[in-house]
Amino acid sequence: MVYKPRAVTVTTTPAMEVNPDPDRDVVVITNLSGATIYWGVDPELSISNGAPIFNNGRAEFSRLNGRDPTIARYLVIAAGSGDVRIDEESVGEVR
């Protein structure tokens, strides 16, 4: 199984931080910043329409919990920047 952990800096501009991957089984986004990070599935993400990941919280997307791990995820923060860790596990090769 391929494992791809990485650090990401989230800013006030929505950015696709998790690319689509049909082979991915799990994505975990962990918020290590002092502020709330918001996630969504399209580039129109904002703090008013995104789902929150609170400070030291996480969001997990897997086939087992019914949250599709294969689609893209966008991240944004209300002000400044935030430190996030993204962990991905896939059955296929790293792309």
Side-chain angles (χ1 to χ4, degrees):
M1 186 169 282
V2 177
Y3 179 59
K4 301 185 297 185
R6 58 196 164 86
V8 171
T9 300
V10 177
T11 68
T12 57
T13 302
M16 183 191 305
E17 300 296 355
V18 177
N19 294 321
D21 183 346
D23 294 328
R24 186 172 37 237
D25 291 320
V26 177
V27 175
V28 178
I29 302 170
T30 304
N31 181 2
L32 301 178
S33 70
T36 302
I37 301 289
Y38 297 86
W39 70 268
V41 296
D42 66 59
E44 300 302 317
L45 173 66
S46 70
I47 61 170
S48 62
N49 68 12
I53 305 173
F54 300 106
N55 183 30
N56 294 316
R58 62 186 237 159
E60 182 173 334
F61 308 94
S62 74
R63 291 180 175 95
L64 295 177
N65 69 12
R67 299 172 88 183
D68 188 352
T70 66
I71 62 176
R73 297 287 194 263
Y74 291 79
L75 301 177
V76 70
I77 193 169
S81 62
D83 184 20
V84 168
R85 297 296 182 271
I86 298 176
D87 299 316
E88 301 179 59
E89 293 187 16
S90 301
V91 295
E93 296 180 20
V94 175
R95 295 176 187 215

